[in-house]
């Protein structure tokens, strides 16, 4: 059998990239249906009050809980992935996510179970957060570490494609049930997207079972024993790189939840636009995001990931202003174009960061290091963004400029940290991985 330089089958790089894409699509579908439900129905079902602002804030609070659980999942499964292998860790995360998501579909609401309902919702949301926290790093590494020389940035970006693909399926699911009468949607319609996750889980496990363990990790394990406490090694030797990677991820992480979750609530509650119209527009934009990310990984492989990311962050700083101007018109084409402008800049950064971080850390601690960077960013920037957006919209009713400034500041943080990584010489490249020491 023909093999690549790492000893893997010639078909394994493509198979690993596809498996990473499918696995993260399922995980992000589960995460996005919660995000969509938190913007549309969870405030009414689990946190009823006389004031919609407080119900929405409570709903987005449980949404944020999942992000705060993600660093814990990254630490646990990063440790396991660096010691016993990427593949075993990924199967476990997929199972946890499936159980948590399907469980939400069977929950009683506040009207039926009182305070028990939101309590169970939070617990299952924590399970989702732990699962996605452990999933991301392993999926990126399975794709990137199987990649042949010269294709790491591109193939690692396939794991990132799961985000827009999962969003497409999540929006399709809620677009379908969103056409139900309001009473039916609030009674049983919202449960269908969560229960459908059971079928996706079976597909994901089957596909992942056919992918071999990472050849880089296998070769490393043969050369030496696994690092006893990978996260301690990372914090001791590469803490500054972790912080810079965390900051560099801000616009890709926070921008996605600003556009896909907060904007859904802002357009329907503040601007008074029709829910089905906004979902349809986001559905179209999700396809634009998917193809933008695919193209971004390909382009960045050729021009250099660090340079590409700096340009993406710079453009992202400018993108919210035309977005809000166009969305405020209420016209479908203008909404799609406005949101697409922001999404193309944001998703370009999101797609390429995976390859940049994969090359920034040694293989023996890589799962723990990139998980710590990315999931800490998710907890801080991703989980809080819809909450901060909701507070700003409430403080300046009918005004979008504070929201645009907030979005620009997120992009500015990423740009500064990317320049810091460039200054330290951490350019993603398609050669052997480099070990980073402070």
């Amino acid at each position: 059998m023909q093999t690549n330089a790492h000893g893997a089958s010639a078909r394994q790089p493509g198979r690993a990239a596809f498996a990473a894409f499918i696995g993260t699509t399922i995980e992000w579908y589960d995460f996005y249906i919660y995000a969509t439900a938190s913007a549309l129905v969870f405030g009414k079902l689990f946190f009823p009050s006389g004031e919609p602002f407080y119900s929405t804030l409570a709903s987005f609070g449980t949404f944020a809980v999942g992000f705060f659980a993600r660093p814990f999942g990254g630490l646990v499964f990063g440790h396991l992935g660096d010691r016993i292998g990427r593949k075993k860790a990924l199967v476990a995360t997929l199972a946890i996510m499936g159980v948590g998501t399907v469980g939400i579909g069977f929950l009683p609401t506040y009207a039926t179970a009182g305070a028990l309902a939101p309590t169970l919702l939070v617990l299952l949301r924590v399970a989702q957060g732990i699962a996605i926290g452990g999933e991301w790093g392993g999926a990126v590494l399975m794709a990137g570490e199987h990649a042949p020389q010269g294709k790491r940035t591109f193939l690692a970006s396939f794991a990132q494609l799961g985000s827009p693909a999962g969003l497409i399926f999540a929006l399709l699911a809620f677009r379908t049930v969103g056409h139900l009468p309001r009473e039916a949607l609030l009674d049983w319609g919202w449960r269908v997207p969560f229960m459908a996750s059971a079928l996706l889980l079976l597909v994901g496990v089957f596909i992942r079972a056919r992918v071999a363990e990472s050849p880089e990790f296998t070769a490393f394990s043969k050369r030496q024993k696994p690092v006893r406490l990978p996260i301690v090694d990372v914090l001791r030797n590469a803490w500054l790189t972790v912080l810079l990677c965390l900051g560099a991820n801000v616009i890709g992480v926070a921008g996605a939840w600003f556009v896909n979750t907060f904007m859904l609530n802002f357009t329907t509650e503040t601007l008074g636009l029709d829910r089905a119209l906004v979902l349809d527009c986001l559905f179209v934009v999700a396809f634009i995001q998917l193809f933008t990310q695919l193209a971004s990984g390909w382009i960045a492989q050729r021009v250099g990931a660090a340079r590409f990311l700096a340009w993406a962050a710079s453009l992202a700083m400018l993108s919210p202003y035309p977005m809000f101007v166009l969305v405020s018109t209420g016209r479908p084409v203008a909404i799609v174009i406005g949101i697409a402008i922001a999404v193309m800049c944001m998703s370009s950064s999101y797609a390429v960061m995976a390859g940049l971080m994969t090359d920034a850390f040694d293989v023996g601690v890589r799962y723990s290091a990139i998980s710590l960077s990315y999931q800490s960013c998710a907890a801080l920037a991703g989980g809080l963004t819809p909450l901060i957006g909701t507070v700003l919209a409430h403080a300046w009713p009918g005004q979008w400029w504070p929201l645009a400034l907030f979005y620009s500041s997120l992009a500015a943080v990423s740009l500064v940290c990317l320049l810091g990584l460039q200054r330290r010489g951490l350019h993603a490249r398609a050669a052997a991985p480099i070990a980073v020491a402070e």
Side-chain angles (χ1 to χ4, degrees):
M1 177 182 292
Q2 182 184 1
T3 59
N4 61 21
H6 298 293
S9 127
R11 283 188 269 183
Q12 280 296 311
R15 183 178 293 174
F18 179 69
F21 166 63
I22 294 298
T24 53
T25 296
I26 296 168
E27 295 267 2
W28 282 114
Y29 166 82
D30 290 350
F31 220 66
Y32 273 123
I33 57 173
Y34 190 100
T36 306
S38 69
L40 295 178
V41 299
F42 278 175
K44 304 175 183 69
L45 294 173
F46 292 93
F47 308 98
S49 72
E51 174 56 57
F53 167 69
Y54 294 111
S55 293
T56 300
L57 205 61
S59 180
F60 279 153
T62 65
F63 173 72
V65 165
F67 283 89
F68 298 143
R70 285 171 65 170
F72 177 73
L75 290 175
V76 171
F77 288 101
H79 178 84
L80 294 175
D82 281 330
R83 288 190 58 82
I84 66 175
R86 293 33 170 146
K87 182 176 178 178
K88 293 177 181 177
L90 285 176
V91 172
T93 61
L94 200 59
I96 293 172
M97 179 62 92
V99 170
T101 303
V102 174
I104 291 173
F106 285 96
L107 282 182
T109 62
Y110 189 90
T112 304
L116 178 63
T119 301
L120 293 175
L121 180 67
V122 169
L123 290 176
L124 292 175
R125 178 61 175 167
V126 168
Q128 280 193 323
I130 291 172
I132 199 73
E135 160 77 17
W136 180 86
V140 166
L141 295 185
M142 284 293 279
E145 291 179 350
H146 272 92
Q149 186 174 358
K151 292 187 177 180
R152 169 166 287 178
T153 297
F154 178 59
L155 290 183
S157 72
F158 273 65
Q160 306 291 69
L161 290 175
S163 178
L167 176 60
I168 288 170
F169 286 115
L171 289 174
L172 184 60
F174 267 94
R175 184 171 177 265
T176 302
V177 300
H179 290 293
L180 291 170
R182 179 179 176 82
E183 295 75 16
L185 175 65
L186 295 177
D187 182 26
W188 58 268
W190 69 271
R191 300 179 185 274
V192 175
F194 289 90
M195 294 178 180
S197 180
L199 297 176
L200 298 177
L201 173 63
L202 296 177
V203 174
V205 170
F206 172 76
I207 292 175
R208 282 206 165 145
R210 301 178 66 239
V211 181
E213 179 57 86
S214 157
E216 277 195 52
F217 177 79
T218 301
F220 171 82
S221 300
K222 290 179 179 178
R223 291 195 308 268
Q224 64 187 80
K225 292 182 179 180
V227 180
R228 185 169 178 269
L229 292 172
I231 192 62
V232 173
D233 189 88
V234 170
L235 293 175
R236 182 186 298 125
N237 299 317
W239 62 270
L240 181 55
T241 303
V242 167
L243 289 177
L244 289 172
C245 286
L246 186 160
N249 272 294
V250 165
I251 188 57
V253 173
W257 299 110
F258 185 98
V259 172
N260 295 318
T261 302
F262 169 73
M263 283 296 287
L264 178 58
N265 180 264
F266 177 78
T267 52
T268 56
E269 297 294 331
T270 302
L271 299 182
L273 300 180
D274 180 68
R275 181 185 64 220
L277 168 66
V278 177
L279 286 173
D280 286 346
C281 292
L282 289 176
F283 185 66
V284 174
V285 171
F287 281 97
I288 297 173
Q289 180 180 347
L290 180 67
F291 291 111
T292 297
Q293 288 190 200
L294 190 61
S296 296
W298 184 83
I299 295 170
Q301 186 71 67
R302 283 151 180 78
V303 304
R307 179 186 301 174
F308 180 91
L309 286 165
W311 275 105
S314 299
L315 292 173
M317 291 177 63
L318 304 174
S319 65
Y321 305 96
M323 175 180 69
F324 277 106
V325 169
L326 291 168
V327 167
S328 296
T329 67
R331 295 195 294 269
V333 174
I335 294 172
V336 169
I337 294 174
I339 295 178
I341 290 172
V343 164
M344 290 176 71
C345 300
M346 168 273 294
S347 62
S348 295
S349 176
Y350 178 74
V352 179
M353 274 305 303
L356 184 78
M357 290 196 296
T358 299
D359 270 348
F361 301 97
D362 181 74
V363 64
V365 299
R366 188 178 287 158
Y367 200 145
S368 297
I370 69 171
S371 294
L372 177 62
S373 298
Y374 180 81
Q375 303 306 342
S376 297
C377 176
L380 295 172
L384 294 177
T385 292
L387 285 171
I388 294 173
T390 301
V391 171
L392 290 175
H394 184 72
W396 283 274
Q399 302 292 320
W400 56 260
W401 62 265
L403 299 168
L405 289 175
F406 171 54
Y407 192 95
S408 293
S409 68
L410 296 173
V413 170
S414 287
L415 179 59
V416 169
C417 291
L418 284 164
L419 294 176
L421 288 171
Q422 281 185 294
R423 190 176 179 85
R424 292 171 58 77
L426 298 181
H427 297 268
R429 56 182 183 270
I434 56 176
V436 175
E438 300 304 335

